[in-house]
Amino acid sequence: MSAPAYDDQNVFAKILRGELPSHKIYEDDKTAVIMDIMPRGDGHILVIPKAPSRNIFDIAEDDLFAVMATVKKMAAAVVKAFNADGTTIQQFSEPAGGQVVFHTHVHVIPRFDGVKLRPHTGEMADNDVLAANADKIRAALG
């Protein structure tokens, strides 16, 4: 499969460079975690590699391993922060796979028995709600 080249003007690249604001939850040498501004559930976060990659097809293995280690840590944190029953972890690659922002990212969404995910409407969440949810997750990380 031949995908287009990585575009360093995507929204996550701009967030990583500090050109756009975000509610940052966690950061290490290889990954960053931010609130999803169009959450499909309370506490919906995104784990992104700091190194440029478009998606699963071109991410370096060590970056993928770092992302997944952070996903595991954050899954436990969102379950604790929201007293959730589980999580949904999603990664979309290329338009046919549902990808909209072309910088590798993994969705981590706290889930509750009997509660469906909200639809992806493209509507942004209230900034104060995102900030409060970010604080809850940071507190759960210790």
Side-chain angles (χ1 to χ4, degrees):
M1 172 180 173
S2 177
Y6 178 80
D7 176 8
D8 70 358
Q9 295 305 304
N10 72 73
V11 67
F12 297 149
K14 289 179 177 182
I15 287 170
L16 287 167
R17 290 193 300 265
E19 296 170 9
L20 288 175
S22 68
H23 291 280
K24 193 172 285 181
I25 306 298
Y26 172 85
E27 183 174 12
D28 61 27
D29 291 347
K30 291 192 165 278
T31 65
V33 180
I34 59 174
M35 296 303 297
D36 190 313
I37 62 169
M38 293 178 246
R40 298 199 55 209
D42 292 341
H44 182 167
I45 60 174
L46 302 171
V47 178
I48 56 179
K50 290 183 174 178
S53 65
R54 186 175 166 91
N55 53 41
I56 199 76
F57 299 115
D58 68 338
I59 188 171
E61 281 196 0
D62 60 331
D63 292 322
L64 178 61
F65 298 159
V67 164
M68 293 314 293
T70 300
V71 165
K72 181 178 179 179
K73 177 184 295 203
M74 298 312 301
V78 298
V79 165
K80 181 178 177 185
F82 293 91
N83 197 29
D85 300 308
T87 63
T88 292
I89 312 255
Q90 297 177 312
Q91 192 282 320
F92 305 104
S93 291
E94 293 303 323
Q99 187 176 15
V100 177
V101 177
F102 296 96
H103 180 106
T104 305
H105 59 287
V106 177
H107 299 257
V108 180
I109 310 167
R111 298 301 303 276
F112 304 88
D113 290 332
V115 178
K116 294 182 180 198
L117 287 177
R118 294 191 291 261
H120 183 27
T121 62
E123 192 173 314
M124 289 193 210
D126 180 87
N127 195 54
D128 291 340
V129 171
L130 291 175
N133 287 343
D135 287 342
K136 284 183 186 178
I137 299 167
R138 281 189 218 103
L141 281 169

